[in-house]
Amino acid sequence: MNIEHIVISVVLCFVLYSYPNVNIHNFSTSWRDGMAFNALIHKHRPDLIDFDKLKKSNAHHNLQNAFNLAEQHLGLTKLLDPEDISVDHPDEKSVITYVVTYYHYFSKMKALKVEGKRIGKVLDNAIETEKMIEKYESLASDLLEWIEQTIIILNNRKFANSLNGVQQQLQAFNTYRTVEKPPKFTEKGNLEVLLFTIQSKMRANNQKVYMPREGKLISDINKTWERLEKAEHERELALRTELIRQEKLEQLARRFDRKAAMRETWLSENQRLVSQDNFGFDLPAVDAATKKHEAIETDITAYEERVQAVVSVAKELEAEKYHDIKLIAARKDNVIRLWEYLLELLKARRQRLEMNLGLQRVFQEMLYIMDWMDEMKMMLLSQDYGKHLLGVEDLLQKHALVEADIGIQADRVKAVNNNAQKFAIDGDVYKPCDPQVIHDRVAHMEFCNQELTQLAVERRAHLEESRRLWKFFWEMAEEEGWIREKEQILSSDESGKDLTGTVRLLSQHRALEDEMSGRAGHLQHTITEGQAMVDAGHFGAAKIRERVTDLGAQWATLVELAAVRKAHLEEACALHQFQADADDADAWTLDALRIVSSGEVGHDEFSTQALVRKHKDAAAEVASYRPVIDALHEQAGSLPEEQVQSEEVKGRLEGIEERYKEVAELTRLRKQALQDALALYKVFSEVDACEVWIDEKEQWLNSMEIPEKLEDLEVIQHRFESLEPEMNNQASRVAVVNQIARQLMHNGHPSEKDIKAQQDKLNNRWSQFRDLADQKKESLISALGVQNYHLDCNETKSWIREKTKVIESTQELGNDLTGVMALQRKLTGMERDLAAIEDKLGDLRGEAERLASEHLDQAKAITGRLAEITAVWEEMKATLRNREESLGEASKLQQFLRELDDFQSWLSRTQTAIASEETPNTLAEAEKLLALHEGIKNEIRNYEEDYQKMRDMGEMVTQGQTDAQYMFLRQRLKALDTGWNELHKMWENRQNLLSQSHAYQLFLRDTKQAETFLNNQEYMLAHTEMPTTLEGAEGAIKQQEDFMTTMDANEEKINGVVEAGRRLASDGNINADRIQERATSIDDRHKKNREAAVELLMRLKDNRDLQKFLQDCQELSLWINEKMLTAQDMSYDEARNLHSKWLKHQAFMAELQSNKEWLDKIEKDGMQLVSEKPETESVVKEKLSALQKMWEVLESTTQTKAQCLFDANKAELFTQSCADLDKWLGGLEGQIQSDDYGKDLTSVNILLKKQQILENQVEVRQREVVELQSQALVLSQEGKDTEEVDGQRQMVEHKFKELLDPLRKRKNFLVASREIHQFNRDVEDEILWVEERMPIATSTDHGHNLQTVQLLIKKNQTLQKEIQGHQPRFDDIFERSESLLMEDSFAVEAIRQHLADLQQLWGLMIEETEKRHARLEEAHNAQKYYFDAAEAEAWMSEQELYMMSEEKAKDEQSSVAMLKKHQIVEQSVEDYAETVHQLSKTSRGLTAAGHSESERIGMRQSQVDKLYAGMKDLSEERRGKLDERFRLFQLNREVDDLEQWIAEREVVAGSHELGQDYEHVTMLQERFREFARDTGNIGQERVDAVNRLADELINAGHADAATVAEWKDGLNEAWADLLELIDTRTQILAASYELHKFYHDAKEILGRILDKHKKLPEEVGRDQNTVETLQRMHTTFEHDIQALGTQVRELQEDAVRLQSAYAGDKADDIQRREREVLEAWNSLLEACDGRRVHLLDTGDKFRFFSMVRDLMLWMEDVIRLIEAQENPRDVSSVELLMNNHQGIKAEIDARNDSFTACIELGKSLLARKHYASEEIKDRLLQLMDKRKDMIDKWEDRREWLRLNLRTE
C-alpha cells in the first residue's frame, strides 16, 4: 500500500467516523456490507441517499444502491459488482482502486469551497483536535487504570478453600471474560483509531504531531494489555488447578468418612472382646486361652495398617488444608483414641493372661518337685553303708549324685518359690488367685526341702566313716605286698657279666629307689591316717595299731638292702665301662693306622683327588679323636684305688697313647705326598689338553686354502668366527697352567724340572698357533674384501641400470597432468635413490683404491669394474637430464605432486600422534601431555603456510581442467583439505580430553589436600579430652574455637573442591561418576566433622561451666575456712580492747551477711547447672551440701562469738555502740545536706558512686540499730538503768529515721541530673555524626567510568545502611526526650533546641542520600551501556579478524578442527545477537527516559548494529569454504584407509598355506570363513559408502571431481580383485579340509578301534554273578562298537570319493589308511565274538558248579539228619522214626529232577569240550558218589529200623 492509499484510508476513517455501523479498519472486510460506500456518498451528497433507512444485514442491496448512484449521479464507472464485494475476503486492491475514484471526485468537487473556508476550517480543526486529545487522554487513563486494577485482581491467588467457592470464582472469571473484557478490548481499538485520527489531522494541518505522554502510548497500552492477557491466562490455569484439587479433596474426605466409620465399628467390637477374662483354672485351659489371645493380637496387629491408612488420609487432607479439616481431625483423633485404647486393653489382657499362665506353670512345677522329694526320702533312709571299699565308693558316688540333685532341686525350689511369691504381692494390682494359697504351697515346699537336705547330710557322714576304715585296710595290705616283692629283688647277688648287663641292673635299681622314695611319703601318710583313727577311738583301733607296727619294721629292712646293692652295682659298672672304652680306642687306632700308612698317591689327577678327599676325612677324624683319649684317662682315674693301681689298667692306657701319636704323624706325611702328586697331575693334564686342541686346530689351518668363490669364503669366515671364542678359552687355560707351574716351582716340588719343560713346550706351541691363526685370518679378510667389492659393483651396476630403465619408461608418458602423475608415481623416491647411489659410488671408489694397493695382481680388474660402474652412472644422469629437459613445465607439476605426497605423509603421522588414546594418571603426566599436545598445535601452525601454498598451486593447476587425472588431483586436494580440517578437529577433541583429564587430576590433587584436612580434623576431634580445671577448660574452649576457625578457613577450600567436583560432573567430565563420588564423600565427611566440632564445643562449654562452678565452690570454701579462723578467735579477755573487738565482730558479721549472697549465687548457679545438664547432678549436689554445712558451722560459730563478746561487758558495749552511731549519723547529715548535684556527666557519676557507698553504710548501721534493741532488752533484764538505756537507743533510732528520707531525695536528684547530662551528650554525639557524613551525601562526583560509578554507589549504599543502622539510636533519643520534656526540668528549652537541630540535620542527610542515589543510578546505567558496547565492539572486531583469515586446512584433521572452531564461532555469533538486542533495548530505554547523553548513546548503538551485521555475512562466507574443503579431505581419507585395508586383506586372501593337519586346516578354514564374512560385510559396506560419497561430490560439481572419479575406479578394481582372491582360497581350503579330515577320521577311528580292543577284558568272572555282570558289560560293549562300525563305513565312502579325486601318492596313502582301519575293525569283531562265547561257557560252568554245590550241601544235611536220629525205646517210637525216615525218602525223591538237570548240564559241557572239562568231570563224579552214599545210608537206616520193629 503506497502513501496515497494510506492518506485516503485516514481521510475516509475521519470522514466516516460519525456514521453508525461504519468502522473502517482495512480495504477488504470493512466494505463488504455496503454501508461504507453509502456513507461516503451521503457524506458529500446527502440529497442522494436516506442513510437511516439502510440495513447492515442487507449487504447486496446496499452495494447495488451505492454503485448505481455513483454511476448515475457522480459519473463514476462501475468497476465492481455487489458479487465481487459480498464475499468473506474482498480483493483489497480492487476496493482501493474503486475508492480512489470516489476520493478524486469529491476532492475536485470541494476544491472551489476550500479556499473560502480555509481559515475557519483551521480553527475548527484545531479546536476539534484539542477535544480529541483530551478525550484520548481521558480514555487512555481510564483504560490503563482498569487494566492495572484487573491485573491486581487476576493475580490474587487467595482462592476459596472449598469446592463451591472455587466453582463460584471460576464462574465469576468466565463472566469477566465474556461480559467485562470485550467492551474494554473495543475501547482499546477505538483508542488506536482516535490517536491515528488526531495525528493525521495534525499532520494535515501542518501542526506538530501529538505524542502522548510516557505511559499512555499505544505501545504502552498494548504492553499493559499483554500483561493483562498473561495474568488472565495464569488466573485461569490457577483456578482450574485449584478446582481439580478441591474435587480430589472432596473425594478423599468421603473416602475418609467411610473408612473411619468401618474402623470405629471394628475397634469397638474388639474392645468388648478383649475386656473379658475367661482364662480357666488349670494349665491346659490357660494355654488354650493364650493361643486364642495370640490369634486376637495377630488380627489386631494386622489391622494397624488400616488404621494408619485412615490417619494418612487425614494427614493428606490436613496437608492440603481441607476446608472441613476440624471435623476430619476430630474423627481421626477418635479413631486413634479407640485404637490406642484397644492396644491398652490388649496389653493389659496379655499381662493378666501371662500372670495366670505363669502361676499355673509354677503350680505344675511344685507338683513335680514334691513327687521327686518323696522318692529321695526313701533312698536316704536306707541302712546299707557298704561291705568293702568298692562298695562304699559306689554308695558315695550314688550319694554325691543324689546331693547334686538335691542342690539343683533346692535352687529349683527357691526359684519356684520366688516365682510364686511374685503372684502374692499385696496391693491393688491384679492377682490371678488367692495369695494365701500361694503362701501355703511355698511354706510346704520349703519344709520338705529342708527335711530332705538334713537326711542327705546324715547319710553322707555314715558313708564317709565307713569308707575311711576300709580305705586304710586296703592301703596297708597294698604296702605290705609291695615291700615283700622288693625285698626279693634286693636280696639278689647278680652284678652283671658285662657293661650292658651291669648298666641294665643299675638302671633297674635306680628306678626301684625312685619308686621307694615315692612310696615313703604315701606310707607315712597311711600310717598317720591310721594313728589318727586310733586316737579318735575308732572301733578297729587295735587292728590298726598292729598293722602299723609290722609295716614300719618291714620298711626299715627294705631301705638297708637297697643301699648295699647300689654300692655293689656302681663299682662293677665303672670297671666294665673303662674296659669297653679301651677296646674301642684300640680298634680305632688300628683302623686309622691301616688308612694313613698306605703309600698309594694315585695314577692320575682324578684318582689323586679322590685320595685327597678320603685323607681329608681321615685327618679330621684323627684330630677329633683326641678328646676321646683324654676322657679315657679321666675315666680310669675315677675307678677304685685298687683297680687304678692294677697292671691291666695302666698297660691299656700307655698302649693307646703311643698308637694315637703314631697315627697323627703318618696322617701329616701322607697329606703332603697327596698334595704334591695332585699338583703334578693337574699341570700334566692341562698341558696335554691344550696341546691336543692346538694340534687339531694347526692341522686345520695348515690344510686350509683361501678359495676364490664368495660362498666358500663366507663358510671359512664363519668357521674363523667360531674359532675366536675357542682361542680365548684356551688362552685362559694356558694362563692357568703357567700360574700353577710357577707356584709348584716356587714351593720346591720334587718334579720341578718336568714341570718347567712342560710349561715351556706349551707356551712355544701356543705362540706359534696364534701367529698362524692371525696370518690365515688376514688372508681370508683380504680375499673377502675383493669378493665383496665385486659383488657390490655388480649390485650397484644393476641398481643404476634399473633406475635408467625407470627413467626411460617415462618417455611414453605425456606432459599433461595424467602423464605427470604417472611419472610421479613411477619416479617416487628417485631422488632419494640417486643420492644413495651417489654415496655408494663414493664408498666403492675408496674401497677400490684400498684393494688395489693391497692386491696388486688384481688391481687392474678392480679399477676396471669401477670404470664400468662410473660409465653406467654417467649414462643414467644424462638420461635423467634429457628427460627433465623434455618435461619442461611438467617438472614443476612433478615437484608439486612430490610436495603433496610429503605433506600427506606428515598429515597422516600427525593424525596418528593426535589419535592416541593415552590418558594421564598423574597431574605431571597431564601437564606433560598437554604440553606435547600444544607442541603439535605449534607444528600445525608452522605447516599452515605450506598448506596454503599447496592449495593455491593445486587450484592453479586444476583450474579449468576436465581431464580425469586433473579431477583425481582435485579430489586429492579436497581430501587434503578434509584431512587438514579433521586434524584440527581431532586436535580439539584431544585437547578437550586432555583438558578434562587435567581438570580431573587437579581435582584429585585438591581432593587429597582436602582429605588431609579432614583426616587432621577427625584426629583432633577424636583425641580431645575434657580438662579438670577452669583454666584448662577455658584453654580447651579457646583451642577448640581456634580449631573451628581453622575449619572455617579450610571450609572455603573444601567447598571449593566439592563445588569444583560437582561442576566437573555437571559439565560431563569423562570421570564424572568418580568425581561425584569423591566430592560427595568429602562433603559428607566435612559436614560430619562440622557437627562433631560443634558438639565438642558445646561439651567443652558445659565442662567449663562445671569447672567454673567447682572453682567458685573452692574459692568460697577457702574463704569460709579463713573466716572460720577469725570466728574461732576468743582472745578478748582484756576489757580495754573489748569494744574494738565487738566492733570488729559486728563488721565481721556484716561481711558474713553480705557474702551470704555469694553462697546463694553459687546455689542458684548449681541448680541452674543441674537443670541444664542433668549429668552433673551428683557432683553439684555434693559440693552444695558441703558448702551449706560449712556455712552453717561458720554462722553458728560467729553467733556464739558475738554472744560471748556481748556477755563479757554488755553495758559498756551498749554505750560505746550508741556513741559511735551518734557520731556517724552526724557526719552523714552533713554529707546529705550538700547542694552539689554535678556540673557534667562525670561529676554526677562520681557523686552517685559516693551516694551508693553511703547507702551501703546505712544498711550496715541499720543492722547495728536493730542490734541495739536486743542489747537494751538484755540490759533491762539484768536490772541496769532501763530509762537511760532506752533513751540512748530511742535517740539513735530517731536520728537514723530522720536521715533516711533526705538520703533518698538526694539520690533522686542525682539520678535526674545524670539523665539530663547523658541526654545532652548523646544529642551532641548524634549531631557530630551527621555533620561528619553530610559532605559524602551532598557530593556531586558521579564518576567517569563504570568502576568509579560502582565504587561511589557502594559508598552511598554503605552510608544509607549506616543511616538505617543509626535510626534506632535516633529514635531512642527522641523517646527519651519526651520523658525529659514532661518533667519540670531547668534544661527544657536547651533540650528542645538540640532536638530541633538534630531533626533538621537528620532529615536533610536522608534526603541528600536519596538524591545522590538517583543520580548515581542514572550515571551507572549510562556507564554500564558504554562498557557493554565497548566490549561488544571489541569482541566483534576480534571475530571479524578471524573470519577474514585466508587460512586453509592442510588435511582432514585440520579441516575438522577449523570447522569445529568455526561452528563454535558461529554459535557464539548467534548467541551474541541477544547481547546486541539487549544493548539496543538498553539504548532505547535510556533515550526514552530522556537521558542527558541520549544522542551519543544512539550513535553508539547504530555502530554496534552495523558491525554485527557485517560479522554475520563474513561468518556465512567462511563456512561455505570450510565445508567444501572438509568433504574432499574426508573422501581422501576414506579411500586411503579402504585401499590400505584391502591391501592388508589381499595378503591374507593370497596366502598359500593349506594346513599341516586336520586341526590346523580346520582352524585356517574357520578363520578364513570368518575373515571372508567380515571382509564381505564390512568391505562392501565401506566401498558402497565411499562410492556414494564420491558420486555425491561428482554430482555436486566439486572442483576435484576428476580426482574423485579416479579414486573411485581404483578402489572398485581393488575390491573386485580381493573378492576373487577370497573365492579362490575358499575352494582350496575346502579341498584341503576334506583330505585332512579323512586322515584325521582314519587316525581317530583306528585309535578308537585299538582302544576298544585294549579295553576288551580278559577276566571271565569268579562266580555266576560276576559272569552275568561281565556278559551284560560285553553286550553293552558290542552295542557301543556298532556306532564305530557306522563310522568305518562312512570312512570307506570318503576314501572311495577321495581316491577318485586324487592320484599318485595321495591316492595310495588314502588306500593304505583305509586298509589299516578295516583290518583293525575286523580284528575287533573277531575278538568280541570270541569273548562272548567264552563268557557263555564260563556262565554255564559256574551255573553247573552252583547246582553241584547246592545239591552237595543238601545231601550232607540229609546224611546228618539220618545219622542224628535217636534210638527207639519202644514200638511206637520205632514207628514214629520209620515215618520220619520215610519223609526223608520223599524229600530225596523230590530232588531227583534237580540231580537229573545238573548231570545233563555237566555231560553237555563235557560233550562240547569245555575249557574246564577236567574240573567239571571231577565235580560230576563227586556228585554222583555223594548221591549214592546218601541213598545207601538211607537204606541201611531203614533196614536197621525194620529189625528193631521186628525185635520189639
Side-chain angles (χ1 to χ4, degrees), residues 36 67 337-338 402 637 802 907 919 963 1068 1129 1625 1715 1808:
F67 294 163
R337 181 182 57 78
L338 291 174
V402 171
E802 181 183 352
L907 185 63
T919 56
D963 186 76
D1129 182 14
R1625 178 155 178 79
R1715 186 169 55 255
R1808 65 173 184 249

Side-chain angles (χ1 to χ4, degrees), residues 1026-1080:
M1026 295 294 111
T1028 57
T1029 62
L1030 179 59
E1031 293 78 7
E1034 290 176 348
I1037 290 174
K1038 186 177 183 304
Q1039 184 178 1
Q1040 181 65 15
E1041 289 175 347
D1042 294 340
F1043 172 71
M1044 294 184 69
T1045 303
T1046 306
M1047 285 185 67
D1048 294 337
N1050 293 331
E1051 185 173 7
E1052 183 177 356
K1053 297 180 181 178
I1054 295 174
N1055 291 335
V1057 172
V1058 174
E1059 290 299 326
R1062 291 173 178 169
R1063 185 166 59 254
L1064 288 176
S1066 62
D1067 291 343
N1069 194 283
I1070 55 178
N1071 301 295
D1073 295 338
R1074 285 181 283 181
I1075 291 173
Q1076 185 65 37
E1077 181 180 356
R1078 294 288 293 272
T1080 304

